[in-house]
Amino acid sequence: IRRPPKSTLFPYTTLFRSVEVGANGVITVTFSANAISGQTILLTPTATGGRVIWNCAQNGTLEPKYRPSSCRA
């Protein structure tokens, strides 16, 4: 059995309370870890040249210090 690759954006899935897909494909991740419990980050898709670019900077309530480096403004 092969293990799936770890995500470079969010490697620890036990930190999540929920993941929801909303209007226009926006993904809302709600965290469950103690320091960030209930905080959210939004992943917003943009189609550009046949690719999807995900933007997560300045979205949701998750404090910048807890965001992945690619999601800090």
Side-chain angles (χ1 to χ4, degrees):
I1 298 175
R2 293 176 59 196
R3 295 178 104 184
K6 287 186 176 181
S7 167
T8 56
L9 184 59
F10 297 112
Y12 305 108
T13 57
T14 57
L15 297 176
F16 307 140
R17 177 181 303 155
S18 66
V19 177
E20 298 176 11
V21 179
N24 299 318
V26 175
I27 298 172
T28 302
V29 178
T30 304
F31 294 90
S32 62
N34 290 339
I36 58 175
S37 182
Q39 294 184 38
T40 61
I41 191 167
L42 279 60
L43 305 170
T44 306
T46 303
T48 304
R51 296 177 18 185
V52 175
I53 307 296
W54 292 94
N55 180 4
C56 54
Q58 301 177 343
N59 291 323
T61 60
L62 186 64
E63 295 177 52
K65 68 181 180 180
Y66 294 116
R67 294 173 181 264
S69 60
S70 61
C71 296
R72 296 179 192 149

